[in-house]
């Protein structure tokens, strides 16, 4: 099974199993990681904002216009900011690293 690493706000790294087909948001919730997701992954908020490790950002599909619009509402945006509900785990993303923004 693929794995991914969450870097929590205090810098703690948590590597977890990341089942194929689940979003980063769903994976976080499955493992008790504090990533809100107020709209439950319906792309109607920015509370699942994560910062993708720069080495992984080019491996993701490009953000849609709708995701970009929602990201405009997030605090602490960075160049590799994405919404966790829009990143779906695949074999190619085994080892993905995302950081929870300090301003979340």
């Amino acid at each position: 099974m693929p794995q991914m690493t969450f870097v929590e706000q205090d810098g703690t790294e948590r590597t977890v199993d990341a089942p194929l087909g689940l979003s980063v948001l769903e994976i976080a919730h499955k493992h008790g990681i504090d990533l809100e997701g107020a709209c439950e992954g319906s792309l109607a908020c920015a509370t699942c904002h994560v910062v993708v490790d720069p080495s992984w950002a080019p491996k993701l599909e490009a953000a849609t216009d709708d995701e970009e619009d929602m990201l405009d509402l997030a605090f602490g945006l960075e160049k590799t900011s994405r919404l966790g509900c829009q990143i779906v785990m695949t074999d190619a993303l085994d080892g993905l690293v995302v950081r929870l923004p300090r301003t979340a």
Side-chain angles (χ1 to χ4, degrees):
M1 175 178 299
Q3 293 190 319
M4 67 170 293
T5 300
F6 289 91
V7 181
E8 298 188 61
Q9 293 168 330
D10 66 0
T12 301
E13 293 186 10
R14 290 189 51 196
T15 300
V16 299
D17 288 336
L20 296 174
L22 291 187
S23 70
V24 167
L25 175 62
E26 293 168 316
I27 294 164
H29 288 176
K30 179 177 174 64
H31 295 285
I33 293 168
D34 189 21
L35 186 58
E36 185 175 346
C39 73
E40 299 179 356
S42 64
L43 194 54
C45 73
T47 60
C48 65
H49 168 219
V50 295
V51 180
V52 177
D53 184 276
S55 66
W56 281 96
K59 299 174 185 177
L60 301 178
E61 291 186 25
T64 64
D65 288 342
D66 288 340
E67 181 181 357
E68 292 286 352
D69 288 345
M70 286 295 107
L71 279 168
D72 287 342
L73 304 175
F75 294 104
L77 281 181
E78 297 186 26
K79 185 177 180 179
T80 60
S81 288
R82 295 293 301 267
L83 297 180
C85 68
Q86 298 301 297
I87 303 170
V88 176
M89 185 54 62
T90 64
D91 282 323
L93 295 181
D94 186 14
L96 175 67
V97 177
V98 301
R99 180 173 45 83
L100 304 182
R102 295 190 195 281
T103 57

